[in-house]
Amino acid sequence: MIQARWWTSESDGDITCHLCPHTCRIADGKSGRCRARSNRKGVLYADTYGRTVTVNVDPIEKKPLYHFLPASDILSIGHNSCNLSCRFCQNASISQETVNTSPIPTDKIPGLCRRYSAKSVAFTYTEPVTGLEWVIDVAKVLKDEGIRTVLVTNGYVNPEPLQEAIPFIDAMNIDLKAFTEDFYKSVCGATLQPVLETIRLAVEHCHVELTTLLVTGENDSEAEIRALVDFVADLNPDIPLHFSRYFPQYRMPNPPTPPETLSMARDIARNRMRYVYIGNISIPGGADTVCPQCGNLLVTRSGYSTRIVGLKASTCARCGMSIPGVWDV
Ligand code: SF4
């Protein structure tokens, strides 16, 4: 635990946290909505600093990141917090409930990467932005060691803290959970606009991929998918966009996403986007990267097995088109 940043004191001893758009007002002895930041006698503390609920080595495709160090392993760590309350959360036992955590010294993380041949570190599983002080400190150490830092995030963070962090972040997968304020409010306990602001800011500074979990009957209408795709395509049609299959989890009983819905979303997106993927389901070609110019197969993916077959450095081996991403091949 360390003293937190991004807060102000109120005259009655309360603290207002400015890290994310919830702007929690926190009384002495209480925590904010994310449970990661507490007021102790008028000082805000980052309670999850340097503590994890889980540490794993994952294929980077699991984040998902498809255009960033493909076929590499990524050290994945998560702290015990989230500032959203998605009814379909797939990690609710560690994001929504308080559980035991273990310390992991910042200066030991590069050694772990070397031991497991991980080229990068992901803050993932839960919500990294609620522990942004630690993210920044770890990312600074990693940068000195030539190791990349990745955030897998809901994007619900205020611009000022994000701007401080982003020079140290190499890649982000941001959940764009839906394209209506109603969904964000009723299903996630948040709002859409700050997430869009995060995406706009992030794409200017680091590699970004986006993921939308299509929840049956909630965010899967053709009109909503078109609106979401238009937003992303207007920003940059080269942003890799992942549509992911939902399964009933936590407090969401709706049936799994029908495969036809995922295909429909992919077809809509491909009209305006160059790199569209389908995840959490095996659909032939759904996870492959194909050259948008000549149709050459560039990267094949099956489960978490990835093969680079048509890339030469960062270009299509057949037609020479430059393929956006960090390929290191
Ligand atoms: S980071 Fe946590 S404490 Fe701060 S405003 Fe967001 S939910 Fe509240």
Side-chain angles (χ1 to χ4, degrees), residues 104-120:
I104 175 167
T106 298
D107 60 0
K108 297 276 189 271
I109 295 176
L112 281 175
C113 291
R114 283 190 286 272
R115 187 189 309 168
Y116 294 106
S117 303
K119 292 182 176 177
S120 54

Side-chain angles (χ1 to χ4, degrees), residues 45-286:
Y45 284 88
D47 295 323
T48 63
Y49 187 97
R51 301 196 69 87
T52 66
V53 281
T54 182
V55 181
N56 293 298
V57 178
D58 290 332
I60 200 163
E61 285 74 18
K62 196 173 179 180
K63 300 301 109 188
L65 284 177
Y66 280 9
H67 288 226
F68 188 83
L69 305 178
S72 70
D73 283 335
I74 185 165
L75 188 79
S76 300
I77 57 184
H79 72 154
N80 185 205
S81 168
C82 189
N83 52 351
L84 268 57
S85 49
C86 302
R87 283 166 40 210
F88 52 82
C89 182
Q90 307 190 3
N91 286 327
S93 62
I94 53 174
S95 72
Q96 304 296 319
E97 295 168 21
T98 300
V99 295
N100 289 334
T101 59
S102 304
I104 175 167
T106 298
D107 60 0
K108 297 276 189 271
I109 295 176
L112 281 175
C113 291
R114 283 190 286 272
R115 187 189 309 168
Y116 294 106
S117 303
K119 292 182 176 177
S120 54
V121 171
F123 291 87
T124 179
Y125 304 127
T126 53
E127 181 44 55
V129 303
T130 61
L132 204 59
E133 294 89 351
W134 192 39
V135 169
I136 292 172
D137 286 353
V138 172
K140 285 178 178 172
V141 169
L142 294 176
K143 204 172 242 335
D144 290 343
E145 301 274 347
I147 300 167
R148 267 83 163 226
T149 299
V150 168
L151 293 189
V152 181
T153 175
N154 60 36
Y156 205 60
V157 60
N158 280 329
E160 184 187 317
L162 179 62
Q163 271 165 340
E164 289 191 44
I166 216 157
F168 306 101
I169 305 302
D170 297 286
M172 295 171 77
N173 186 298
I174 304 172
D175 276 345
L176 181 51
K177 293 174 187 282
F179 209 69
T180 64
E181 289 292 354
D182 182 55
F183 181 99
Y184 266 88
K185 185 178 175 193
S186 62
V187 178
C188 304
T191 52
L192 168 63
Q193 286 307 317
V195 179
L196 302 185
E197 282 308 308
T198 292
I199 294 170
R200 287 190 189 102
L201 185 61
V203 297
E204 289 174 10
H205 291 92
C206 67
H207 177 77
V208 172
E209 302 191 19
L210 302 177
T211 300
T212 300
L213 185 77
L214 291 174
V215 183
T216 310
E218 303 285 346
N219 64 350
D220 58 349
S221 74
E222 193 176 321
E224 183 168 347
I225 292 167
R226 280 190 196 284
L228 185 150
V229 166
D230 284 346
F231 166 79
V232 182
D234 287 347
L235 270 185
N236 185 344
D238 283 340
I239 296 171
L241 177 59
H242 302 258
F243 290 111
S244 197
R245 190 182 196 198
Y246 146 90
F247 291 92
Q249 288 281 348
Y250 192 40
R251 295 176 177 157
M252 180 66 79
N254 303 22
T257 322
E260 308 77 51
T261 303
L262 291 152
S263 298
M264 179 262 289
R266 179 179 61 178
D267 292 346
I268 289 172
R270 279 185 172 169
N271 283 328
R272 297 210 56 202
M273 308 284 303
R274 296 195 181 97
Y275 306 99
V276 183
Y277 301 104
I278 295 179
N280 264 358
I281 187 172
S282 180
I283 289 181

Side-chain angles (χ1 to χ4, degrees), residues 5-6 16-26 31-38 44 81-84 129-131 156-158:
R5 302 182 55 200
W6 307 295
T16 300
C17 175
H18 301 284
L19 176 50
C20 91
H22 287 311
T23 324
C24 297
R25 184 167 176 138
I26 309 170
S31 297
R33 186 168 172 157
C34 61
R35 308 181 331 280
R37 311 171 77 77
S38 62
L44 190 70
S81 168
C82 189
N83 52 351
L84 268 57
V129 303
T130 61
Y156 205 60
V157 60
N158 280 329

